[in-house]
Amino acid sequence: MTIRRHLLAAAAALPLFPFTARAQAGWPSKPVRIVVPFAASGTTDILARALAPELQRAFGQPFIVDNKPGAGGNNGSAEVAKAAADGYTLLMGTVGTHAINPSLYPKMPYDHVKDFAPITLVAGVPNVLVLNPASAQKYGINSVVDLIRAARANPGKLNVASSGNGTSIHLAAELFKSLTGTFMLHLPYRGSGPALIDLMAGNVDLMFDNLPSAMPHIKSGRLKALAVTSGVRSGAMPELPTIAEAGGALLRNYEASSWFGLLAPAGTPADVVLRLQQETAKAMATPAVKDRLLSQGANPGGMAPAEFAKFIDAETKKWAVVVKASGAKVD
C-alpha cells in the first residue's frame, strides 16, 4: 500500500470522540521538546517547525524544536529513546530512523519498536532527483536517461549527496545505482540543509532530496530537477515525471518515498499520546497547514497510534528488502 493510500485510510479512521478526563493531570505544565535528528532546513526540520506552533496553540505551552543531527538520525533518536516517558520529549522520526536504519546499521543505539510509542504519521513526501546546474551542463544531463549514460561513462566521477547514512535520500540513490549498474560516490551530510548548500555551491553533483526542502531551490533555478522518486507524480510539481516513467525498463519498478512521524519514548502515558495524535491530526487538517504542506509537496497525515505502529512495521519490512537489494551498508 502506498503512503498516500495509508494517509487516506488513516484519515477516515480518525477517532471522532472528544478527549475525556483520562488525560494525565496537569500535562503539559512546562515546555515540550521536539527532537529533530537532522540539521536545520531539511524536511524533517520544516515539518517539525510547521507543527510546533499548532501544538503550542492547542496545549498552551511552548513546543520547542531541538536539532540533534548525526549518524543518519540515530543520535537524536537514541536521545529520545532514553528520555523520561513523561510527554515532555518527542521525536520527529523518519523513514530512515524507524524503517531503514534497523536494516542498514549492524548495531543500533535503540530499538526502533520497543523503545518508542508511535503517535502519528505527520506527512509523506516524494524525493526529487536534483542536480547542480553546472554539473548537469558539464556532463550533458537533461534527463534520467542522460544521468545513467553519464554515470556509466564516468564511473566514480559523479558524486551524490545525502542527508545522512540510512536516510531515504541515501537509499533512493543506492537503489538507483543498483538498478542501473552505475557507481557514484556517496557523500553523507548531517541533514538536507548542509547537503543542499554544498550541492548549490557545486561541491557535489546531485542529490535525491525530499521535495519540500528542494522545491524553493528548483523554482529559483539554483537546482535542476529531473524526476520524483514516488510511484506517481507530485501534485506540487506535476511537470516532473517519476523516475519509473523517465528511466526506461531498468527503473520501471523504482519507488523510494519518505515519511515523517511523531513518536515518544516507550511508556509515555497513553492519554498523552492520544491527545498529541488528535491535536496533530487537527493541525494537519486545517486549511492553512494542509495547503501549505501540499504546496511544498508533502501529503499531510494524522493516523491513529495503532495504525502508525502497523505502518512502521510494514515499512521496516519493505525497506529491509530495498537495503538488501541495493547492497548498501554502514559500518
Side-chain angles (χ1 to χ4, degrees):
M1 184 179 288
T2 65
I3 288 177
R4 178 171 291 181
R5 288 173 62 195
H6 271 292
L7 295 173
L8 291 173
L14 286 176
L16 300 178
F17 53 85
F19 190 73
T20 68
R22 293 176 298 149
Q24 185 184 36
W27 182 91
S29 60
K30 61 182 181 180
V32 177
R33 187 167 62 114
I34 302 177
V35 173
V36 169
F38 298 97
S41 301
T43 298
T44 319
D45 184 68
I46 290 171
L47 291 172
R49 293 184 189 279
L51 179 60
E54 301 299 321
L55 295 180
Q56 180 169 322
R57 277 191 284 272
F59 292 108
Q61 288 288 345
F63 277 68
I64 301 167
V65 176
D66 187 9
N67 297 88
K68 295 285 184 176
N74 282 351
N75 289 352
S77 300
E79 181 175 321
V80 176
K82 297 170 186 175
D86 55 9
Y88 291 100
T89 304
L90 309 175
L91 175 72
M92 184 61 79
T94 71
V95 61
T97 63
H98 279 76
I100 296 174
N101 287 3
S103 294
L104 190 67
Y105 285 80
K107 187 175 181 181
M108 289 283 287
Y110 57 88
D111 186 305
H112 77 295
V113 174
K114 294 180 180 179
D115 290 343
F116 293 91
I119 297 172
T120 191
L121 180 70
V122 173
V125 306
N127 292 355
V128 59
L129 171 54
V130 288
L131 288 86
N132 174 278
S135 294
Q137 183 176 20
K138 175 181 177 181
Y139 291 100
I141 300 171
N142 292 297
S143 68
V144 175
V145 171
D146 285 344
L147 174 59
I148 297 171
R149 173 194 49 75
R152 285 178 171 174
N154 301 277
K157 291 186 179 179
L158 285 165
N159 49 52
V160 54
S162 82
S163 54
N165 288 316
T167 61
S168 72
I169 295 171
H170 171 204
L171 263 293
E174 294 297 338
L175 184 59
F176 183 94
K177 292 192 290 182
S178 174
L179 292 175
T180 59
T182 54
F183 172 64
M184 296 179 282
L185 182 64
H186 172 227
L187 299 176
Y189 286 75
R190 292 168 68 87
S192 283
L196 285 169
I197 289 172
D198 264 12
L199 179 60
M200 290 184 286
N203 296 324
V204 290
D205 298 307
L206 64 140
M207 185 175 176
F208 291 74
D209 192 33
N210 301 141
L211 184 55
S213 48
M215 187 183 295
H217 310 300
I218 296 170
K219 290 184 175 180
S220 72
R222 299 184 71 188
L223 292 177
K224 181 181 181 66
L226 297 185
V228 292
T229 66
S230 48
V232 297
R233 295 193 182 203
S234 169
M237 299 195 81
E239 70 277 10
L240 290 179
T242 67
I243 286 179
E245 283 181 283
L250 290 174
L251 295 169
R252 63 181 179 273
N253 295 318
Y254 183 99
E255 182 179 0
S257 297
S258 298
W259 54 261
F260 307 83
L262 203 60
L263 303 103
T268 298
D271 49 3
V272 171
V273 169
L274 182 58
R275 289 180 68 189
L276 284 163
Q277 181 271 325
Q278 290 178 334
E279 294 300 337
T280 299
K282 289 179 185 177
M284 294 296 102
T286 59
V289 175
K290 183 178 180 180
D291 291 347
R292 175 183 171 189
L293 294 183
L294 287 172
S295 70
Q296 294 175 327
N299 297 309
M303 62 176 58
E307 182 71 13
F308 187 33
K310 291 179 182 178
F311 177 77
I312 290 172
D313 180 63
E315 285 287 292
T316 301
K317 292 173 182 175
K318 166 192 167 181
W319 282 99
V321 174
V322 174
V323 170
K324 184 177 180 179
S326 72
K329 296 179 181 179
V330 177
D331 298 325

